[in-house]
Amino acid sequence: MSCQTGISASPRLAAYLAGASHRGDRCIKIIIQDEELDLEQARVRVSDYESDWDRNVLVCVEEGSPCYILYQLDETNPEGEALYVFMTYIPNDTSVKNKMLFAATRATMKRIFGDNRIKTEYLGTLPEELSLQGYRNTVLSQDAKAPMTEAEKELEQVSKDEAMMRSQMSTNSATLPGLTLPATQELVTNLEKFKKGFVNYVQVKLDTEKEELKLWDCSNINVSELSGRYLRTSLATTSSTLTTNTRGRISGGLSSCTPAPGTMFQLNKG
């Protein structure tokens, strides 16, 4: 039960914490005396923890006298043991030696009592900081996010905007996934001609009833004729136009391939 300060629990404190009597006490005050952690007083539970708080905690606080206070809440840990608030009171007028002593012995006090039984811990230098309102303020400050600077706010907004854009792009790209469709033998044959340069224009029709790609037109045309070649049909018919550019590369809805009978072509959203 000792630490770097050499402070350990007195026999009286050890016996008190080992017994069951402390479980009915609402407030426990512990001091360091004769180089030992010692029980100074214990106050019984009368009502709920909020009603009991100020009339128990504030009477334990004395000017110029540092101490530890363990205050029992009305809730338990997973093991069914009562949870406590662990307060360290070190007044501003405490000597430097005692300030260092109480600060260095906090970890020892927690281990003696049981870390798993402590829900919240904080340090107070003024009596009002250990009041019920002081405890509420401490809990709120621990739960609240630290205030952000203007630069941090701008970075947060940029991150939100980027996340929204990525989400929208992902949603949009998922609205029209790729479709894999079979091609007729006639279309495969003419695509082979197109690949070899025998023709420079192939128009493909999507037969929505049979769910297959068919040849609609295949010929050699000039660029000026291209606009007049688009299909003007109902929405049930879709076309894809392939042309060769000045560098001899294929452009359009289908990519260059080596077709064979039964070839499956994939139309993707561009």
Side-chain angles (χ1 to χ4, degrees):
M1 290 186 176
S2 63
C3 68
Q4 294 178 349
T5 60
I7 302 297
S8 60
S10 68
R12 180 170 62 169
L13 178 60
Y16 171 75
L17 295 178
S21 61
H22 76 277
R23 302 183 187 283
D25 293 334
R26 176 67 80 183
C27 184
I28 306 168
K29 179 181 179 181
I30 299 167
I31 61 173
I32 297 178
Q33 183 173 273
D34 298 330
E35 298 185 355
E36 288 182 325
L37 288 162
D38 198 15
L39 174 68
E40 182 169 279
Q41 63 174 297
R43 304 179 65 86
V44 297
R45 181 173 58 241
V46 175
S47 184
D48 61 273
Y49 89 90
E50 292 185 333
S51 301
D52 282 344
W53 190 289
D54 286 344
R55 65 186 177 207
N56 285 289
V57 173
L58 295 183
V59 298
C60 292
V61 176
E62 299 178 16
E63 186 177 350
S65 299
C67 65
Y68 302 116
I69 296 176
L70 289 161
Y71 190 84
Q72 186 181 133
L73 299 172
D74 296 334
E75 52 187 297
T76 59
N77 62 16
E79 290 74 35
E81 299 175 308
L83 288 173
Y84 289 75
V85 178
F86 177 46
M87 293 169 272
T88 302
Y89 177 61
I90 305 179
N92 290 322
D93 57 354
T94 303
S95 66
V96 174
K97 177 182 177 182
N98 279 336
K99 284 182 178 180
M100 296 178 63
L101 182 63
F102 271 81
T105 311
R106 288 177 66 187
T108 300
M109 183 65 243
K110 288 172 58 179
R111 285 196 298 271
I112 291 173
F113 185 72
D115 295 62
N116 65 322
R117 299 168 65 188
I118 296 174
K119 179 180 180 180
T120 307
E121 62 174 297
Y122 70 100
L123 170 68
T125 59
L126 300 171
E128 52 264 34
E129 293 175 341
L130 272 64
S131 66
L132 178 60
Q133 187 58 50
Y135 167 69
R136 288 171 175 164
N137 292 341
T138 299
V139 172
L140 288 174
S141 65
Q142 289 177 348
D143 292 342
K145 294 175 63 177
M148 293 188 294
T149 64
E150 289 302 317
E152 290 173 332
K153 290 178 181 179
E154 290 179 6
L155 286 174
E156 183 182 50
Q157 187 60 47
V158 169
S159 297
K160 289 180 179 179
D161 293 343
E162 289 178 348
M164 183 179 296
M165 290 178 63
R166 287 194 297 268
S167 176
Q168 291 175 347
M169 291 174 65
S170 175
T171 301
N172 290 339
S173 64
T175 56
L176 187 59
L179 296 176
T180 301
L181 300 171
T184 63
Q185 179 59 51
E186 183 184 23
L187 174 58
V188 171
T189 300
N190 283 278
L191 283 173
E192 183 65 29
K193 291 180 181 178
F194 177 82
K195 181 183 176 183
K196 292 180 179 180
F198 296 136
V199 294
N200 67 357
Y201 177 83
V202 174
Q203 194 169 57
V204 181
K205 176 183 178 181
L206 170 61
D207 189 329
T208 56
E209 291 184 0
K210 296 184 178 180
E211 295 184 357
E212 64 180 4
L213 297 175
K214 293 183 176 181
L215 178 69
W216 185 261
D217 191 7
C218 178
S219 59
N220 286 297
I221 64 172
N222 297 320
V223 176
S224 59
E225 302 177 66
L226 189 59
S227 61
R229 294 283 184 138
Y230 287 109
L231 291 176
R232 289 174 173 79
T233 57
S234 67
L235 292 177
T237 302
T238 304
S239 65
S240 177
T241 303
L242 304 180
T243 61
T244 54
N245 59 22
T246 55
R247 296 184 181 181
R249 294 179 180 176
I250 296 174
S251 63
L254 297 176
S255 60
S256 176
C257 60
T258 304
T263 298
M264 303 289 283
F265 292 94
Q266 184 170 343
L267 293 177
N268 293 308
K269 180 183 178 183

